[in-house]
Amino acid sequence: MLVWAVASQKGGVGKTTTVASLSGWLEKEGLKTLVIDTDPHASLTAYMGFEDDQLDRNLYDIYSDRELTRDKVLECCKSTRFKGLDIIGSTMALATVDRQLSGRAGVGRILKKALELIEGEYDVALIDCPPVLGALMVNALVASSLVLVPTQTEFLALKGLEGMVRTFAIMGKAANGSQIDYIIVPTMYDKRTHASNTSLDFLKIHYRDHLWSGVIPVDTLFRESSYRNIPVPLMDKKSRGGEAYRALLDYSIGHELRTNPSLVTPAVAAVLTDDSAGAQKDNHEKEITDDMSSMLSNGEES
């Protein structure tokens, strides 16, 4: 099972939209998908059509139960109205988790252990993180093989990105820590504005090793999607935003196939269609051709 966290230390950059949109594409592909809302504000829970008081068990129960079992975790996984798409919902009580877990050994690995108990039940789990560095975010990062970092293409969001990358470095140096594999996802991009273009150029210069080559454009359908509680791909897969998230999904799966192939189920690998695989092959061949042309050049100006 792939586990991806969607995290940023700045609010309003598109974390919940990213989780919802990717889950919509996974649902369309017939994959068994779990979304996990770790933000006490419960935006993702509402996006999926639930009020937090509708759920008899939620993420808070996972953190408060010291003797988790597979059945207890599955009781927290609630079906949404979309086939194959389940949720572990949030509640305001999660705001007390940091205080309640204080002094408890291994508090950063609770979610990872819970997801390991239900390994095989889902193809992909997507975690929507709060914008605050604390036990909830740390649990999400530790549980994940890949972290997607939505970054609005404007100056203040770039400052938030700096903090997020610094957090990754600190976690990598911590005892029993591990290196965080992450992809930066430029969001709310508007090619007509100087701010968006300047910010994107900054990302390309300073974060190119972790930067996704695409962008998530401004799209009014995202707002309509959250209002109607329907992920964008399930409303209009051909929308600009929907197509952008499909490209991000394919890219992320391809990345996992290279770095964590054992976590990718055959059903997930099949998402990369022959067409997309062919396109990736064509791009790769073009890169090789360009390199070869450079090596064989006689050095004369054309």
Side-chain angles (χ1 to χ4, degrees):
M1 178 174 69
L2 290 174
V3 182
W4 297 345
V6 179
S8 172
Q9 288 180 220
K10 185 180 184 303
V13 296
K15 294 188 295 295
T16 300
T17 298
T18 296
V19 172
S21 298
L22 291 176
S23 73
W25 277 116
L26 293 168
E27 193 271 354
K28 287 185 72 68
E29 290 290 341
L31 296 174
K32 189 70 172 154
T33 305
L34 176 67
V35 295
I36 305 168
D37 191 352
T38 70
D39 190 339
H41 291 103
S43 296
L44 180 63
T45 304
Y47 206 129
M48 293 296 165
F50 296 97
E51 297 294 336
D52 59 4
D53 58 2
Q54 285 182 273
L55 302 173
D56 56 334
R57 286 182 63 82
N58 52 53
L59 185 60
Y60 181 78
D61 295 290
I62 288 177
Y63 284 110
S64 59
D65 195 328
R66 287 179 176 254
E67 297 182 2
L68 281 176
T69 64
R70 178 177 178 276
D71 288 342
K72 287 180 179 179
V73 176
L74 287 175
E75 286 175 3
C76 297
C77 302
K78 304 299 182 180
S79 299
T80 70
R81 58 196 174 107
F82 308 109
K83 184 178 179 181
L85 177 55
D86 293 351
I87 185 172
I88 298 179
S90 179
T91 174
M92 282 298 294
L94 283 174
T96 68
V97 162
D98 277 289
R99 184 176 70 253
Q100 293 191 19
L101 296 182
S102 179
R104 181 172 158 187
V107 295
R109 300 183 180 276
I110 295 173
L111 183 58
K112 179 179 178 65
K113 291 177 180 178
L115 293 178
E116 288 174 345
L117 289 171
I118 58 172
E119 182 72 35
E121 291 292 325
Y122 297 95
D123 294 298
V124 183
L126 302 170
I127 308 173
D128 189 12
C129 296
V132 178
L133 179 59
L136 294 169
M137 181 184 286
V138 170
N139 267 268
L141 299 180
V142 169
S144 304
S145 60
L146 179 65
V147 181
L148 303 178
V149 188
T151 303
Q152 184 180 355
T153 47
E154 58 93 21
F155 177 72
L156 290 178
L158 297 180
K159 300 298 289 184
L161 174 60
E162 290 178 12
M164 198 73 246
V165 172
R166 192 158 51 244
T167 295
F168 295 154
I170 291 171
M171 290 186 65
K173 294 177 182 178
N176 299 316
S178 59
Q179 296 299 314
I180 303 294
D181 188 12
Y182 65 96
I183 296 171
I184 298 167
V185 181
T187 60
M188 304 180 192
Y189 176 70
D190 187 342
K191 65 181 180 181
R192 300 168 298 178
T193 67
H194 177 72
S196 276
N197 289 305
T198 301
S199 298
L200 186 60
D201 288 342
F202 181 90
L203 290 172
K204 290 177 179 178
I205 293 170
H206 296 280
Y207 296 99
R208 61 183 179 182
D209 291 342
H210 292 276
L211 181 66
W212 176 46
S213 60
V215 296
I216 305 299
V218 171
D219 190 338
T220 57
L221 202 60
F222 289 134
R223 187 175 300 172
E224 179 72 13
S225 166
S226 62
Y227 174 74
R228 293 175 55 185
N229 306 129
I230 304 174
V232 162
L234 303 181
M235 288 177 54
D236 183 359
K237 66 179 182 180
K238 295 186 178 297
S239 68
R240 290 183 302 159
E243 290 182 337
Y245 273 115
R246 177 57 199 237
L248 175 62
L249 176 64
D250 288 350
Y251 179 86
S252 300
I253 292 173
H255 179 88
E256 292 282 53
L257 280 168
R258 293 189 298 273
T259 57
N260 296 296
S262 64
L263 301 178
V264 183
T265 66
V268 172
V271 167
L272 294 181
T273 63
D274 291 340
D275 288 342
S276 63
Q280 291 180 3
K281 179 181 178 182
D282 291 343
N283 288 337
H284 184 56
E285 289 181 352
K286 183 180 185 303
E287 291 175 0
I288 295 174
T289 301
D290 290 344
D291 289 343
M292 189 65 68
S293 297
S294 176
M295 286 187 284
L296 298 177
S297 171
N298 59 16
E300 297 179 357
E301 296 290 336
S302 58

